[in-house]
């Protein structure tokens, strides 16, 4: 059972959405090579009143075996992964991140 969920919420300029989605799958696959990363989901949240005009929401979540593995990612790989993304999409995306601790998984 994963212990942590790492959630990345991205707002993408509408004009860059297709390019960003093409980029995101191999990016997420690379994340899955890091210690403890078990699976990833890429989602398109429904727009609501809080979605800025001209922006498309995208959400990526990663299931991770332990909080320590997630910290290892932050300490060792995160800066490079974020730089890779920003070098390609600077000025066209903004991202926020959250960490969830898994209490239970129900069938």
């Amino acid at each position: 059972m994963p212990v942590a969920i790492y959630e990345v919420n991205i707002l993408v300029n509408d004009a860059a959405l297709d390019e960003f989605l093409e980029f995101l799958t191999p990016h997420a696959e690379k994340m899955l090579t890091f210690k403890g990363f078990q699976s990833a989901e890429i989602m398109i949240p429904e727009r609501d009143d809080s979605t800025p005009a001209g922006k498309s929401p995208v959400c990526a979540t990663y299931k991770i075996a332990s909080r320590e593995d997630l910290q290892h990612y932050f300490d060792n790989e995160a800066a490079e992964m974020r730089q890779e993304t920003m070098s390609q999409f600077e000025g066209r995306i903004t991202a926020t991140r959250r960490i969830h601790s898994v209490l239970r998984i129900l069938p």
Side-chain angles (χ1 to χ4, degrees):
M1 173 174 90
V3 173
I5 305 287
Y6 180 45
E7 175 185 292
V8 184
N9 289 289
I10 308 110
L11 285 174
V12 183
N13 291 359
D14 286 343
L17 181 60
D18 289 341
E19 180 185 356
F20 183 74
L21 292 174
E22 282 186 36
F23 164 86
L24 190 54
T25 296
H27 179 85
E29 289 171 341
K30 185 174 180 181
M31 296 280 287
L32 294 176
T33 68
F34 299 139
K35 180 181 178 201
F37 279 66
Q38 299 174 336
S39 65
E41 295 178 344
I42 298 171
M43 300 167 276
I44 304 292
E46 292 186 10
R47 292 175 186 255
D48 60 25
D49 293 340
S50 69
T51 307
K55 304 283 185 179
S56 295
V58 177
C59 179
T61 61
Y62 302 91
K63 295 177 182 165
I64 303 158
S66 71
R67 183 61 176 86
E68 292 78 18
D69 289 338
L70 181 56
Q71 189 61 50
H72 182 271
Y73 165 75
F74 290 144
D75 293 343
N76 297 283
E77 290 99 10
E80 179 182 334
M81 294 299 287
R82 290 176 185 172
Q83 179 56 39
E84 177 183 297
T85 303
M86 293 314 294
S87 68
Q88 192 164 342
F89 294 98
E90 189 160 3
R92 300 188 292 161
I93 66 169
T94 56
T96 58
R97 298 161 180 86
R98 298 191 311 172
I99 300 167
H100 304 273
S101 297
V102 176
L103 298 177
R104 289 180 193 89
I105 296 177
L106 305 174

